[in-house]
Amino acid sequence: MRGPGGDRRALAVGVLRAGTLALPLLLAGCLAPMPRPLVGLNRRLEAAGPAAAPSLAGDWLALIVSRDGRDRIELVDLNRQQPVPLPGLERPDAQPLSVAVDARGERLAVVRQLEGRTELVLYRRNLMALQPVVLQPPGVPRRVALRADGRELAVEVSREGQGQVDLIDVP
Amino acid sequence: MGWGSVDRLDPALSGNGRVLATVVRRDMGDTVLLQEQPSGAILPLRQLRRQQPHRSPSLSWNGRYLALIVQQGPQRQVVIEDRATGRLHRLPLPGELVPERLSLAPDGRRIAIALEGGGRSRVQLFDLSVLLEPDLPAGLPVTGPGEAGP
């Protein structure tokens, strides 16, 4: 039979043991590396207006920003922390739905609604040129991803109500 | 492949194009599927069971890292599975913001997350360099702070 002193000793040993077990977990929790928000850049993005649909590659971030009641595509140079102009891409009557950028910031793939239909286009920044991408068999593009070298598209396409994924080589 | 009649959504390619991630609509909830390209062989994911629905998958250069949004009880969480080690990294998010979409940089050094909260949508970037080793194209040297790039 254990007396009160023994109970206290057992309790102390139990607490010590629990502490010994918990301490590394606690320390690991405290010391676990945490992702660091890019505060300056995030502040600039916040100031640009409500934003969605990010695509990040290399030193480039493409996203859809709402401003003055209109959604538009922005391409941000992360080194300069500034958007770059995209001449020939924007149309005031187009509604962008999805955007993807390659790692050189040269190619942008865009799904957009225009004149009542949804289309997939590829924009080449160095040429300032927009090229439609034809889906075969025909379907409605919903979302697009671009390989980092800009040579392949992965497109979510709706065909007769079913979601499918097309892989399309880009010359 | 047997995926002909199943809805497939939300595609993402690894930087080198050898891995394709899609979200497959299943009874248990939307589930991410990884496939080698061009064979279509399915690649295992160890850590993501019972966290459906999955959404917005994004892959690093060689497909080592898969970032996506999962459901943990009532909350959406951003996680990154390291396919080389099997480790699952959970990314804590500021405040009451809910992740909607994400994009992992191909080298795995940064992530952009679209967040909803307070009646507004925003995109925030996070530096992951303390969390993940870079996943670079073969043949590129790894450079650290203060070193010149190639």
Side-chain angles (χ1 to χ4, degrees), chain A residues 1-170:
Chain A
M1 192 170 156
R2 192 184 290 166
D7 284 345
R8 274 199 295 275
R9 265 196 305 279
L11 183 65
V13 168
V15 168
L16 189 64
R17 191 171 292 153
T20 310
L21 290 172
L23 191 62
L25 290 174
L26 198 64
L27 282 176
C30 293
L31 301 177
M34 301 282 279
R36 187 174 56 87
L38 300 176
V39 176
L41 197 53
N42 290 344
R43 204 171 287 142
R44 281 170 186 260
L45 290 171
E46 185 92 28
S55 169
L56 188 59
D59 291 320
W60 301 94
L61 170 70
L63 71 172
I64 298 174
V65 177
S66 298
R67 199 178 303 138
D68 305 327
R70 193 163 82 77
D71 290 349
R72 65 189 79 200
I73 290 166
E74 277 200 358
L75 179 64
V76 180
D77 178 342
L78 297 179
N79 285 331
R80 293 175 51 236
Q81 301 197 4
Q82 292 286 341
V84 297
L86 300 169
L89 173 62
E90 287 294 341
R91 278 181 58 154
D93 53 344
Q95 168 79 34
L97 302 176
S98 174
V99 61
V101 64
D102 73 347
R104 291 178 306 137
E106 278 300 327
R107 293 178 173 200
L108 290 167
V110 178
V111 175
R112 64 183 192 178
Q113 280 181 329
L114 183 65
E115 294 168 355
R117 63 195 162 77
T118 308
E119 63 178 15
L120 173 64
V121 293
L122 185 69
Y123 176 75
R124 288 181 163 89
R125 203 158 62 89
N126 58 344
L127 302 174
M128 295 182 278
L130 200 60
Q131 169 194 352
V133 179
V134 177
L135 298 173
Q136 279 305 337
V140 180
R142 298 289 184 209
R143 207 168 265 150
V144 66
L146 190 56
R147 203 168 77 192
D149 66 2
R151 301 281 178 186
E152 188 177 21
L153 298 168
V155 191
E156 179 188 321
V157 183
S158 177
R159 292 190 175 98
E160 295 174 0
Q162 186 180 5
Q164 300 178 343
V165 170
D166 288 5
L167 296 178
I168 302 170
D169 287 330
V170 181

Side-chain angles (χ1 to χ4, degrees), chain A residues 33-38 42 45-46 49-51 54-59 61 143 145 147-148 154 156 162-165 167, chain B residues 4-11 14-15 17 22 37 61 92 101 103 106 110 112 120-127 130-131:
Chain A
M34 301 282 279
R36 187 174 56 87
L38 300 176
N42 290 344
L45 290 171
E46 185 92 28
S55 169
L56 188 59
D59 291 320
L61 170 70
R143 207 168 265 150
R147 203 168 77 192
E156 179 188 321
Q162 186 180 5
Q164 300 178 343
V165 170
L167 296 178
Chain B
S5 60
V6 181
D7 269 331
R8 298 186 66 174
L9 319 166
D10 239 350
S14 62
T22 53
Q37 294 300 315
W61 193 276
R101 310 278 314 160
S103 177
R110 288 185 280 219
R120 183 186 161 106
S121 59
R122 71 211 79 202
V123 170
Q124 294 195 351
L125 276 90
F126 296 85
D127 180 356
V130 293
L131 199 65

Side-chain angles (χ1 to χ4, degrees), chain B residues 12-56:
Chain B
L13 285 165
S14 62
N16 62 9
R18 298 212 180 123
V19 184
L20 170 70
T22 53
V23 171
V24 179
R25 195 142 277 173
R26 289 180 168 160
D27 292 342
M28 69 182 85
D30 291 359
T31 302
V32 73
L33 176 74
L34 275 196
Q35 289 175 288
E36 206 170 58
Q37 294 300 315
S39 70
I42 293 171
L43 300 170
L45 287 167
R46 300 179 222 182
Q47 304 284 354
L48 298 171
R49 288 179 202 145
R50 295 184 295 278
Q51 297 182 59
Q52 286 94 346
H54 299 157
R55 55 196 292 165
S56 197

